[in-house]
Amino acid sequence: MNAQKPKTTTRVDADTLRGLQQKYIFSPNPEWTELRNLRETVARDFATHGALSKPIFDRVLDWQLRGQRGRTEALRGQISSSVRITSSVLRDVTGAFWHLHAHGESTLDIQLGVLKALPDVDMGVGTAILTLADHVNYGIIDVRNWQV
């Protein structure tokens, strides 16, 4: 008869976890700091203006698309050359997105549909805006998540 090996578990106390969190996530991590700052900026833009300003929208695109933005900017510009994202268009569309509430289970679909009406906004950028605006209730959905 083969004796089964007992399962081993590693227990980590709460103080150790807090220390690891502080070391690897919060303090020296420039990506975490950038995310936190952008999240606060987006939330402040929505709270103050009820919409995203063009400079903040551009920061969201830079953050979400990273190196892809520069590489594909010319192509996206050709595709969307007839529709320019002016400050007023961006204010109207993101304002409509921000004020959509209480539509039950379809609220998220409606909000994403509104955001995706903007050139350069796909599922990844749309959910990034949702997450930056309300990180407690939303997460980013993009191809990097689907590949995990």
Side-chain angles (χ1 to χ4, degrees), residues 95-104 107-108 110-111 134 138:
F97 142 79
W98 186 245
H99 292 96
L100 282 168
H101 299 289
H103 294 284
T107 301
L108 178 60
I110 295 169
Q111 286 177 312
D134 185 3
Y138 299 104

Side-chain angles (χ1 to χ4, degrees), residues 4 9 13 24 27 38 42 45-46 57 60 63 70 77 93 107 129 138 143:
Q4 289 183 340
T9 58
D13 64 271
Y24 292 106
S27 336
L38 185 57
V42 167
D45 226 24
F46 277 121
F57 178 74
V60 170
W63 174 77
V93 172
T107 301
I129 293 170
Y138 299 104
V143 70

Side-chain angles (χ1 to χ4, degrees), residues 30-46:
E31 288 180 9
W32 175 253
T33 302
E34 178 187 12
L35 170 62
R36 209 173 49 210
N37 290 340
L38 185 57
R39 192 173 64 204
E40 290 168 3
T41 302
V42 167
R44 188 172 41 253
D45 226 24
F46 277 121

Side-chain angles (χ1 to χ4, degrees), residues 14-77:
D15 289 334
T16 301
L17 285 175
R18 282 187 202 95
L20 291 170
Q21 182 182 39
Q22 190 65 33
K23 181 177 179 182
Y24 292 106
I25 296 177
F26 296 128
S27 336
N29 188 326
E31 288 180 9
W32 175 253
T33 302
E34 178 187 12
L35 170 62
R36 209 173 49 210
N37 290 340
L38 185 57
R39 192 173 64 204
E40 290 168 3
T41 302
V42 167
R44 188 172 41 253
D45 226 24
F46 277 121
T48 305
H49 308 294
L52 279 182
S53 64
K54 183 92 168 85
I56 303 306
F57 178 74
D58 286 337
R59 281 185 59 195
V60 170
L61 287 180
D62 289 341
W63 174 77
Q64 172 62 15
L65 298 175
R66 295 180 182 92
Q68 297 174 38
R69 184 171 185 195
R71 189 182 67 216
T72 61
E73 192 81 23
L75 177 62
R76 286 195 317 272

